[in-house]
């Protein structure tokens, strides 16, 4: 039978790999959305807050809240294994999923905004043209 410390160590390896997958999810969202500096900083802050809570929850649930050095080693090994073995494919998968979600959301938004665009063209554009026409006429009279 496996000792409790060994089981916790293996769980921490899985936790480190899961956190790395979460990081890849944030990376894929950043790549798909082409975020600015502020959005990148916000998403990094959100990731680290989530990671801190997730690690604390893992330590609390699987080792009774006792934080040991081998748990840190387990998380680091999980991250290293994930980035060496899985990250390339998981990142591509996340990127594909997020891009398709964004395309679908854009399509839904286009469908929802179509009646408003139609109303804009019927109601606002003619009024705008008439106002601009009157402004041009007033300017022409001033220049004469």
């Amino acid at each position: 039978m496996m000792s409790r410390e060994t089981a916790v160590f293996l769980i921490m390896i899985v936790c480190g790999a899961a956190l790395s997958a979460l990081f890849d999810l944030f990376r894929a969202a950043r790549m798909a959305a082409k975020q600015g500096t502020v959005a990148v900083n916000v998403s990094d802050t959100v990731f680290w807050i989530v990671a801190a809570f997730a690690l604390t929850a893992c330590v609390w649930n699987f080792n009774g809240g006792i934080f040991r050095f081998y748990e840190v080693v387990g998380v680091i090994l999980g991250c290293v294994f994930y980035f060496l073995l899985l990250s390339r494919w998981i990142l591509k998968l996340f990127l594909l999923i997020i891009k398709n979600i964004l395309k679908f959301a854009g399509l839904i938004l286009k469908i929802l905004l179509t009646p408003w665009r139609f109303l804009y063209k019927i109601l606002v554009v003619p009024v705008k043209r008439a106002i601009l026409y009157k402004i041009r006429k007033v300017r022409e009279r001033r220049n004469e």
Side-chain angles (χ1 to χ4, degrees), residues 20-73:
S20 298
L22 179 66
F23 182 74
D24 271 351
L25 181 63
F26 276 82
R27 281 176 51 195
R30 186 180 304 153
M31 289 176 183
K34 297 180 176 99
Q35 301 172 346
T37 305
V38 174
V40 168
N41 290 336
V42 169
S43 68
D44 284 348
T45 303
V46 169
F47 169 76
W48 284 111
I49 290 170
V50 170
F53 278 114
L55 282 174
T56 303
C58 283
V59 171
W60 185 266
N61 289 325
F62 298 114
N63 204 18
I66 301 168
F67 196 70
R68 304 282 171 117
F69 179 73
Y70 65 86
E71 294 169 347
V72 175
V73 173

Side-chain angles (χ1 to χ4, degrees), residues 111-128:
I111 290 170
L112 291 175
L113 291 179
T114 298
W116 296 104
R117 246 188 262 147
F118 180 70
L119 286 174
Y120 178 80
K121 287 180 181 178
I122 290 175
L123 301 174
V124 176
V125 171
V127 172
K128 187 178 174 181

